[in-house]
Amino acid sequence: TYKDGDKVDIFVNKVGPYFNPHETYHYYSLPVCRPDPIQHKSLTLGEVLDGDRMAYSMYEVQFKKSEKNKHLCDVTYEEKELTSMKEAVEELYYFEMVADELPMRSFVGRFEESSFLAVPHIHKLYLYNHIKFIFTYNGDKIISANVTTAEYEPMSLEVDPPLKIDFQYSVEWKESAVDPAKRSTLLKDYSFFPRTLEIHWLSIINSVILVSLLMAFVVVILTRVLRSDFSRYNKVDEEEDFGDDDNGWKIIHADVFRFPKLKSLFCSIIGVGSQLLAIGGGIIIMALLGMFKAHGHGSINTAAILLYALTSCIAGYVSSSYYRKFQGGNWVANIILTSSLFTAPCFIVWSVVNSVHWWYGSTQALPFTTVLLLGFIWVLIGLPLTVIGGIMGKNTSGDFDAPCRTKNIAREIPPQPWYRNTLCHMIFGGFLPFSAVSVELYYVFATVWGREVYTLYGILMVVFFIELSVSACVAVALTYFHLSSEDYRWWWRSVFSAGSTGIFVFFYAIFFYVRRSNMSGIVQSVEFFGYSLLTCFAFFLSLGTVSFFASLKFIRYIYVNLKMD
């Protein structure tokens, strides 16, 4: 709340190319008016992760007090400063300021250029040296804040240095009838960046119908086939012994529960996958409860980091529990592998991306103190919880409860046709889950790598459950066909069934970068492809876990209902 004449702090935040959302620099990296000394505002963890570096400005704004053509400062551009500003204008730099937690954005300058074939060729650069703040208020509260440069003629930069720039600003206050509690709604409609997100009910309904038909098809077909199999396999024939003339999944009952190779890695994958599923579900629930505000910079990033640390116990418990069931002996190595399976690739990708940002002076490079804070979160919370979960899983789990006894000597696997190999299995198993999420994937990419604030969390929850359902159905169907060919090596194959969706997501990321965005440059490209790889790895772990649990449940069901000596 403000009283008449109270000072309204204007914070300058960051600048950067319009089409590269994650390439941002400090506002004072440009040759503009700056206080001496520069003082920064204290920021939350989420704001720092989002690349914010808010600093106090020289603008003097008072509540309800309008100003016209007020002098800010004079800056003389020598050749270095003039070149720097020209490059910023050519790359369509925008700036961001913040007043009362409301962002205000506009372009640094104007770039006019004719087409390549035009004669004569036009290439003109202008600097907006006069900006106007427009505030609306209701009572003692600010409702909206905006900044414009349209009302004043820009200053040409096509001159020889030195160039003296007179920076000015104006302030206009307007009364508004909007309820202060609803100002976040106005923020959602803020239109400096292009708006592309709309409620896409038709696409969602189409996906739901297709997925429902797919699930019904899988259930009906498998039910009929299994009924036939049970009738044939459980038929009592006193004159013949089973095994000589029959084939199919019953004949491998003594091998189907033979434990997989690389048991520790396998258990770590399903442990971390369970953790990532919990994080995804937790973020969606928190969003539905309204815990992420439109103007809360980086709040989802903060929630994801804290959830990752707090859910580490899930990864440790699931991994250690199955490692104990698989009769694994090196428990310590399994815990270390589980704790680093996703953390290590995440740290490597972040190190490369952060180094590139640091080299180019971007605000996306995390300060050393923030890096230490994140390290302490993992060392003091994430790692201990993983160990605690591992101890609980090891001590509370018994032997693997298999419906069938496993023979000491493995059965020979018959030759398999080419369409039953792992690659074909992955293509089919990954394409269907990807097709179920492909529509929503565009909106998520447009939000993460664009300028929008994602607010369609209800739809995202529906798509989340659709994705899990499709992954489970596809995994069950592929596992049945795999066992029917008398191949009992289903453990790893089940993980790769829906886990291969991550490969399709990465191909889509390449398509999005090339055809659906205007991103360019080393800084933006390294961040985009680095974090896209990490996202695809998360898809592999989480959907591979869903695929494994669905396959295990299915295999237990069919062998429990099979009559055997």
Side-chain angles (χ1 to χ4, degrees), residues 185-346:
T185 306
L186 297 178
L187 193 61
K188 294 177 183 178
D189 299 330
Y190 187 63
S191 59
F192 176 72
F193 297 118
R195 298 190 61 83
T196 56
L197 296 186
E198 298 177 356
I199 299 180
H200 35 287
W201 292 113
L202 186 61
S203 300
I204 296 301
I205 293 173
N206 183 46
S207 297
V208 171
I209 293 175
L210 288 177
V211 169
S212 301
L213 291 176
L214 171 66
M215 293 174 61
F217 175 78
V218 170
V219 170
V220 170
I221 295 299
L222 280 183
T223 301
R224 292 177 63 88
V225 170
L226 284 175
R227 186 180 295 117
S228 175
D229 287 349
F230 286 139
S231 176
R232 179 163 58 94
Y233 290 155
N234 291 333
K235 186 177 182 180
V236 178
D237 190 345
E238 297 179 354
E239 297 180 359
E240 296 184 11
D241 292 327
F242 175 82
D244 295 333
D245 300 324
D246 285 277
N247 53 26
W249 51 267
K250 180 179 179 179
I251 205 170
I252 59 172
H253 69 274
D255 296 280
V256 73
F257 291 104
R258 192 178 302 280
F259 297 142
K261 298 179 180 179
L262 303 174
K263 290 183 285 190
S264 184
L265 177 60
F266 184 88
C267 295
S268 297
I269 287 176
I270 62 175
V272 177
S274 301
Q275 178 188 8
L276 294 177
L277 288 171
I279 294 172
I283 289 178
I284 293 176
I285 292 173
M286 292 171 67
L288 289 173
L289 294 176
M291 300 179 68
F292 302 135
K293 304 300 181 183
H295 59 279
H297 291 196
S299 55
I300 293 183
N301 294 338
T302 305
I305 290 174
L306 294 178
L307 281 176
Y308 182 77
L310 295 174
T311 56
S312 296
C313 57
I314 297 177
Y317 179 84
V318 174
S319 176
S320 183
S321 174
Y322 274 88
Y323 193 61
R324 167 71 177 82
K325 291 178 180 179
F326 291 166
Q327 300 175 0
N330 198 343
W331 177 79
V332 175
N334 173 253
I335 290 297
I336 295 175
L337 180 59
T338 301
S339 63
S340 59
L341 183 64
F342 188 76
T343 305
C346 187

Side-chain angles (χ1 to χ4, degrees), residues 37 51 158 235 302 319 371 441 564:
E158 301 297 328
K235 186 177 182 180
T302 305
S319 176
V371 176
L441 203 59
M564 291 177 293

Side-chain angles (χ1 to χ4, degrees), residues 393-414:
K394 177 175 179 290
N395 294 332
T396 58
S397 300
D399 295 333
F400 188 81
D401 183 20
C404 311
R405 288 181 296 177
T406 302
K407 292 182 178 179
N408 294 328
I409 301 176
R411 177 184 176 85
E412 183 179 355
I413 299 173

Side-chain angles (χ1 to χ4, degrees), residues 20 40 54 162 165 177 179 193 198 352 362 392 425 454 460 498:
N20 288 359
H40 288 84
M54 296 186 201
I165 306 292
D179 187 351
F193 297 118
E198 298 177 356
V352 173
S362 171
M392 294 176 60
H425 196 104
Y454 197 95
L460 187 62

Side-chain angles (χ1 to χ4, degrees), residues 2 6 31 52 72-73 144 149 162 227 231 254 259 283 288 355 405 442 451 457 460 490 497 506 510:
Y2 296 91
D6 279 357
D52 291 344
L72 185 64
C73 78
S144 67
T149 56
R227 186 180 295 117
S231 176
F259 297 142
I283 289 178
L288 289 173
S355 298
R405 288 181 296 177
Y442 166 75
R451 306 292 188 178
Y457 296 111
L460 187 62
W490 65 273
S497 290
F506 185 72
I510 298 175

Side-chain angles (χ1 to χ4, degrees), residues 55-103:
Y56 287 89
S57 69
M58 296 176 60
Y59 296 103
E60 296 179 356
V61 176
Q62 294 176 299
F63 189 64
K64 294 186 183 181
K65 184 179 180 181
S66 298
E67 302 276 2
K68 270 195 174 183
N69 305 331
K70 191 170 183 179
H71 176 73
L72 185 64
C73 78
D74 292 322
V75 179
T76 301
Y77 285 178
E78 299 297 338
E79 184 174 355
K80 180 182 178 181
E81 290 81 10
L82 186 59
T83 301
S84 173
M85 187 59 77
K86 283 183 176 180
E87 290 177 351
V89 175
E90 282 183 327
E91 295 181 19
L92 300 180
Y93 269 40
Y94 73 98
F95 65 83
E96 179 179 289
M97 300 181 182
V98 178
D100 196 33
E101 298 186 359
L102 297 172

Side-chain angles (χ1 to χ4, degrees), residues 21-158:
H22 293 266
E23 182 182 349
T24 54
Y25 305 94
H26 199 293
Y27 181 86
Y28 288 134
S29 64
L30 294 180
V32 293
C33 299
R34 66 190 67 195
D36 186 21
I38 297 174
Q39 295 181 330
H40 288 84
K41 179 188 176 185
S42 59
L43 302 175
T44 64
L45 175 61
E47 290 171 335
V48 174
L49 294 175
D50 204 38
D52 291 344
R53 301 293 185 270
M54 296 186 201
Y56 287 89
S57 69
M58 296 176 60
Y59 296 103
E60 296 179 356
V61 176
Q62 294 176 299
F63 189 64
K64 294 186 183 181
K65 184 179 180 181
S66 298
E67 302 276 2
K68 270 195 174 183
N69 305 331
K70 191 170 183 179
H71 176 73
L72 185 64
C73 78
D74 292 322
V75 179
T76 301
Y77 285 178
E78 299 297 338
E79 184 174 355
K80 180 182 178 181
E81 290 81 10
L82 186 59
T83 301
S84 173
M85 187 59 77
K86 283 183 176 180
E87 290 177 351
V89 175
E90 282 183 327
E91 295 181 19
L92 300 180
Y93 269 40
Y94 73 98
F95 65 83
E96 179 179 289
M97 300 181 182
V98 178
D100 196 33
E101 298 186 359
L102 297 172
M104 304 177 290
R105 304 181 183 96
S106 187
F107 285 103
V108 170
R110 189 174 76 203
F111 179 30
E112 294 181 359
E113 186 174 30
S114 61
S115 64
F116 180 74
L117 299 177
V119 178
H121 183 67
I122 299 175
H123 185 281
K124 296 181 180 180
L125 301 173
Y126 299 92
L127 172 67
Y128 292 121
N129 62 314
H130 193 144
I131 64 174
K132 181 179 181 180
F133 297 101
I134 302 175
F135 297 95
T136 61
Y137 66 92
N138 186 348
D140 57 358
K141 296 182 183 294
I142 296 177
I143 302 300
S144 67
N146 198 3
V147 62
T148 180
T149 56
E151 298 182 11
Y152 305 95
E153 284 297 319
M155 191 170 186
S156 176
L157 296 177
E158 301 297 328

